[in-house]
């Protein structure tokens, strides 16, 4: 009987490029297009036949535990702490006690993507999600033999020989050889750019004769900084079909408004995501993300991300306001 795959999702990063929001909130719990970044990944797992996962936590790991246990009680979740950020290869290796000998699906916790993972899992062959990019130097890249089999992988090469970027989605029919390769890297202290890289571990697999192929990533959305978070919000909202009506306010679609958010006398949209408990009153809001329990009143607000419990009142401004902040503009 074929074992069902177990997912490994590293979420230990501190998200420095998203400060001030990540001073008080883990990056993966920031909202985009109506729900936290992590929820865009976890919501798809049951449909793939994945009911068990390992979350590699670190920075504000308790917040992640609380959210996942509350929102996904049906998932069997193992939490592994990564106190020292020693690289993605190190993070994945920490899942070995729960995942060795199993098919494994690795998804980076800050990656929102579109791919036919059901087809990848049904084939049962180890494969890495890739996408053509304009500047491969920013990514790990793969070289193939023309028939789809990977012959070489390099992490952020100065002189790339391929434009196929590694996107952060991986499937291994058996995790055991990968874990052995990652242990080997750490035993020999082999680091790239100061860290134990998953790319280097996979390159060892290739050198040892493992058959790794690729599969296409159709959409790959970055949530790493405010500008790209807002861009991802726009792309995902464009695909939503459930567009709410709010009596007494004007809604310019597409938007995502939580059921218990309060919108009064406002013009909202396009491209606005309003999380649970947020309040928008006598305001015009467009191209913005309002996180839980944020308040926006008497203001024209655009191109902005507003953190949890933050308050914005006043005239037209562009804001990037962290959690639990309060701003009053006369």
């Amino acid at each position: 009987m074929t074992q069902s795959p177990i997912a490994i999702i590293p979420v230990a990063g501190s998200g420095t490029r998203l400060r001030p929001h990540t001073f008080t909130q883990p990056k993966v719990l920031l909202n985009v297009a109506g729900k936290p970044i992590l929820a865009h990944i976890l919501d798809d797992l049951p449909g793939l036949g994945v009911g068990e996962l390992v979350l590699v936590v670190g920075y504000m790991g308790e917040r992640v535990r609380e959210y996942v246990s509350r929102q996904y009680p049906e998932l069997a979740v193992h939490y592994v702490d990564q106190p020292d950020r020693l690289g993605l290869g190190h993070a994945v290796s920490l899942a070995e006690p729960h995942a060795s000998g199993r098919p494994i699906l690795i998804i980076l916790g800050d990656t929102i993507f579109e791919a036919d993972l059901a087809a990848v899992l049904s084939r049962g062959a180890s494969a890495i999600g890739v996408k053509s990019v304009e500047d491969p130097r920013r990514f790990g890249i793969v070289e193939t033999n023309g028939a789809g089999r990977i012959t070489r992988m390099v992490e952020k090469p100065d002189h790339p020989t391929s434009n196929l970027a590694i996107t952060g989605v991986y499937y291994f029919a058996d995790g055991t050889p990968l874990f052995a390769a990652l242990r080997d890297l750490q035993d020999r202290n082999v680091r790239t750019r100061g860290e134990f890289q998953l790319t280097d571990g996979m390159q060892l697999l290739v050198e040892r004769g493992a058959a790794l192929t690729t599969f296409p990533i159709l959409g790959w959305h970055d949530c790493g900084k405010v500008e790209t978070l807002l861009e991802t919000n726009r792309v995902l909202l464009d695909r939503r079909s459930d567009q709410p009506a709010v009596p007494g306010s004007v809604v310019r679609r597409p938007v995502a408004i939580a059921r218990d958010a309060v919108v009064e006398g406002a013009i909202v949209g396009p491209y606005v995501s309003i999380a649970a408990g947020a309040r928008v009153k006598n305001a015009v809001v467009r191209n913005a993300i309002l996180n839980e329990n944020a308040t926006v009143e008497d203001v024209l607000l655009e191109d902005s991300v507003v953190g949890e419990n933050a308050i914005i009142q006043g005239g037209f401004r562009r804001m990037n306001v962290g959690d639990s902040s309060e701003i009053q503009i006369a």
Side-chain angles (χ1 to χ4, degrees):
M1 182 176 178
T2 303
Q3 281 186 301
S4 60
I6 183 171
I8 301 173
I9 306 177
V11 293
S14 57
T16 55
R17 293 185 301 160
L18 276 168
R19 291 174 178 168
H21 305 283
T22 50
F23 280 130
T24 52
Q25 178 85 301
K27 172 182 176 179
V28 296
L29 295 188
L30 293 176
N31 274 271
V32 59
K35 57 187 177 182
I37 296 167
L38 183 59
H40 286 274
I41 299 171
L42 299 186
D43 286 351
D44 291 339
L45 294 183
L48 296 170
V50 179
E52 186 177 0
L53 67 146
V54 179
L55 281 172
V56 183
V57 298
Y59 181 73
M60 294 194 183
E62 285 304 313
R63 295 285 302 267
V64 176
R65 289 174 183 255
E66 291 168 6
Y67 173 79
V68 174
S69 61
R70 181 177 70 250
Q71 296 294 330
Y72 298 92
E74 73 281 5
L75 293 176
V77 184
H78 309 280
Y79 296 94
V80 179
D81 188 53
Q82 187 190 26
D84 299 315
R85 312 296 184 264
L86 299 178
L88 181 58
H90 176 258
V92 171
S93 74
L94 297 175
E96 182 175 6
H98 304 287
S100 185
R102 301 271 301 274
I104 59 174
L105 176 65
I106 303 171
I107 304 174
L108 302 193
D110 58 357
T111 299
I112 298 178
F113 64 93
E114 299 156 53
D116 189 356
L117 286 185
V120 174
L121 269 58
S122 67
R123 284 196 294 270
S126 299
I128 299 170
V130 298
K131 186 172 177 60
S132 298
V133 296
E134 291 184 1
D135 185 5
R137 292 172 300 178
R138 297 172 51 215
F139 309 97
I141 60 104
V142 304
E143 300 173 4
T144 68
N145 63 359
R149 180 162 173 167
I150 296 173
T151 57
R152 184 168 176 257
M153 282 174 278
V154 184
E155 181 66 25
K156 295 181 181 178
D158 293 327
H159 304 287
T161 54
S162 163
N163 69 342
L164 290 179
I166 301 171
T167 59
V169 187
Y170 319 79
Y171 174 72
F172 294 91
D174 181 357
T176 303
L178 176 64
F179 290 126
L182 295 175
R183 282 199 310 275
D184 189 3
L185 290 180
Q186 293 175 62
D187 289 344
R188 295 186 291 118
N189 197 30
V190 176
R191 306 185 188 215
T192 299
R193 301 179 187 271
E195 297 182 335
F196 298 110
Q197 300 288 351
L198 181 59
T199 302
D200 292 338
M202 295 187 296
Q203 174 61 24
L204 271 183
L205 291 184
V206 171
E207 293 171 3
R208 293 170 178 176
L212 295 181
T213 61
T214 64
F215 63 91
I217 297 293
L218 306 177
W220 183 22
H221 308 298
D222 181 19
C223 298
K225 55 185 180 178
V226 168
E227 293 79 8
T228 56
L229 188 70
L230 288 170
E231 180 182 350
T232 297
N233 188 61
R234 291 193 296 270
V235 170
L236 297 181
L237 286 177
D238 267 332
R239 296 172 185 164
R240 290 179 68 109
S241 58
D242 55 324
Q243 299 298 338
V246 180
S249 294
V250 175
V251 176
R252 294 176 174 170
R253 303 175 179 180
V255 300
I257 302 175
R259 290 184 179 181
D260 60 349
V262 176
V263 178
E264 298 177 348
I267 300 174
V268 175
Y271 303 115
V272 173
S273 179
I274 303 176
R279 179 182 177 88
V280 180
K281 184 176 181 181
N282 300 329
V284 178
V285 182
R286 58 194 180 222
N287 191 38
I289 298 172
L290 278 56
N291 283 277
E292 291 188 4
N293 302 311
T295 297
V296 174
E297 294 184 353
D298 303 314
V299 65
L300 195 163
L301 189 72
E302 66 178 353
D303 304 334
S304 302
V305 177
V306 182
E308 282 190 0
N309 304 304
I311 300 172
I312 296 179
Q313 297 174 321
F316 175 78
R317 295 290 189 277
R318 181 184 183 278
M319 297 288 180
N320 181 20
V321 183
D323 295 349
S324 302
S325 304
E326 179 172 348
I327 295 178
Q328 294 186 10
I329 303 173

